[in-house]
Amino acid sequence: MCTIYACTQPQPKLKSIDGKQLEVNQSVKAKDSIETLVAPYRTRINEILDSVLAYTPKAITKTEGKYNTSAGNLMADIVLKEVNPIFKARTGNDIDFVLLNFGGIRSIISKGNITTRNAFEVMPFENSVFIAELDGKSIKELLSYLLKSSVPHPIAGIQIVVDKNKDLKEVNIKGEPFDENKTYFVATSDYLITGGDRMNFFKNHLSLMDTDYLIRNTMIDYFKKVDTIHATIDDRFIQID
């Protein structure tokens, strides 16, 4: 008879992990082999990003207006113009107005040529356009949010008029007085739909549609169609005496 004894070896246990931060800066020399591989891709990307799409006779920024700005107005107007035909084709409805967020605008567009790179600088995020159907109660919450906001969030298709005390005097949507018994289709971003920037009223949507259209791409498509961009501050959100 033969007896076999099996021995179980103890499993190794991790005692510690050591590491250090390696700074990547200009002191790190490029390798010729990697540079040769990357160079044609970098050249092509730069060609695309630096291609001229349009022209602006003055700088477009988000800082020169109290209740609306040239950059905010331009971005909201572009979303309305570029996305509405898609929404109309899919649903038979029109977008009533647009609401984006002030913080989503990340750069100015300087006077002169507008390039694809400018669109990436202004909107570096992969945010896409969503259309939320909101009832009158949610629209009133939206308006209250805008009245209390310390920054001018981009809007289009809606006009808000306040008095010297910033009390609401008038709201017009697509040129018609706001009707709290109606529902409205509001174009916004995927970030805001989930309550980003504390816009929690979007969570109460009655219906929702993802257009699969990046905000950045709406800008690029618009710039390709328009030779000269005239972005201005107007009366879409104003204060009267």
Side-chain angles (χ1 to χ4, degrees):
M1 175 180 286
C2 180
T3 303
I4 299 176
Y5 295 91
C7 296
T8 302
Q9 296 293 327
Q11 294 297 315
K13 294 183 178 180
L14 181 65
K15 290 184 177 181
S16 65
I17 298 176
D18 296 321
K20 63 179 180 179
Q21 182 176 351
L22 299 177
E23 184 178 356
V24 179
N25 53 38
Q26 293 184 356
S27 67
V28 179
K29 295 182 179 180
K31 290 187 176 182
D32 291 341
S33 59
I34 296 178
E35 279 296 304
T36 301
L37 176 66
V38 171
Y41 298 98
R42 180 192 297 120
T43 299
R44 180 53 181 159
I45 289 172
N46 286 332
E47 287 176 354
I48 294 172
L49 291 178
D50 294 329
S51 59
V52 177
L53 306 178
Y55 174 83
T56 176
K58 66 176 184 178
I60 302 171
T61 80
K62 69 173 186 178
T63 59
E64 82 282 35
K66 183 177 181 180
Y67 293 110
N68 65 92
T69 69
S70 59
N73 292 352
L74 177 64
M75 183 175 286
D77 286 345
I78 287 175
V79 168
L80 184 59
K81 182 176 181 62
E82 295 299 314
V83 180
N84 190 61
I86 297 172
F87 185 62
K88 180 78 170 181
R90 293 183 188 176
T91 68
N93 297 309
D94 287 302
I95 295 172
D96 291 299
F97 67 95
V98 177
L99 171 59
L100 303 173
N101 63 316
F102 178 84
I105 303 173
R106 291 298 194 171
S107 176
I108 70 168
I109 298 178
S110 300
K111 175 183 176 181
N113 290 334
I114 298 176
T115 66
T116 302
R117 189 183 299 274
N118 292 137
F120 275 83
E121 291 169 344
V122 172
M123 176 51 69
F125 314 109
E126 298 299 300
N127 290 129
S128 62
V129 181
F130 273 67
I131 314 296
E133 182 182 7
L134 301 181
D135 61 16
K137 181 177 180 294
S138 294
I139 297 296
K140 290 172 73 173
E141 292 175 2
L142 180 155
L143 293 169
S144 177
Y145 175 92
L146 292 177
L147 293 180
K148 295 176 182 177
S149 178
S150 60
V151 294
H153 294 290
I155 57 175
I158 184 172
Q159 183 190 42
I160 302 170
V161 182
V162 296
D163 63 18
K164 61 181 180 181
N165 298 317
K166 209 177 177 182
D167 291 325
L168 188 63
K169 299 296 293 182
E170 186 177 346
V171 178
N172 295 300
I173 299 175
K174 292 172 64 175
E176 298 291 334
F178 164 56
D179 182 351
E180 61 182 280
N181 296 312
K182 290 179 59 177
T183 63
Y184 293 90
F185 294 103
V186 185
T188 188
S189 73
D190 55 343
Y191 168 67
L192 299 180
I193 279 295
T194 59
D197 273 9
R198 298 185 300 278
M199 295 193 189
N200 294 315
F201 43 82
F202 277 124
K203 294 181 180 180
N204 299 321
H205 55 263
L206 303 177
S207 66
L208 188 65
M209 191 188 88
D210 181 1
T211 66
D212 297 312
Y213 201 171
L214 296 183
I215 295 176
R216 180 198 309 122
N217 288 349
T218 69
M219 298 173 63
I220 293 172
D221 290 344
Y222 179 80
F223 292 151
K224 288 179 179 179
K225 300 173 186 176
V226 181
D227 178 76
T228 303
I229 306 298
H230 297 285
T232 61
I233 299 171
D234 56 27
D235 64 351
R236 69 187 66 192
F237 193 155
I238 58 172
Q239 185 176 41
I240 59 175
D241 295 330

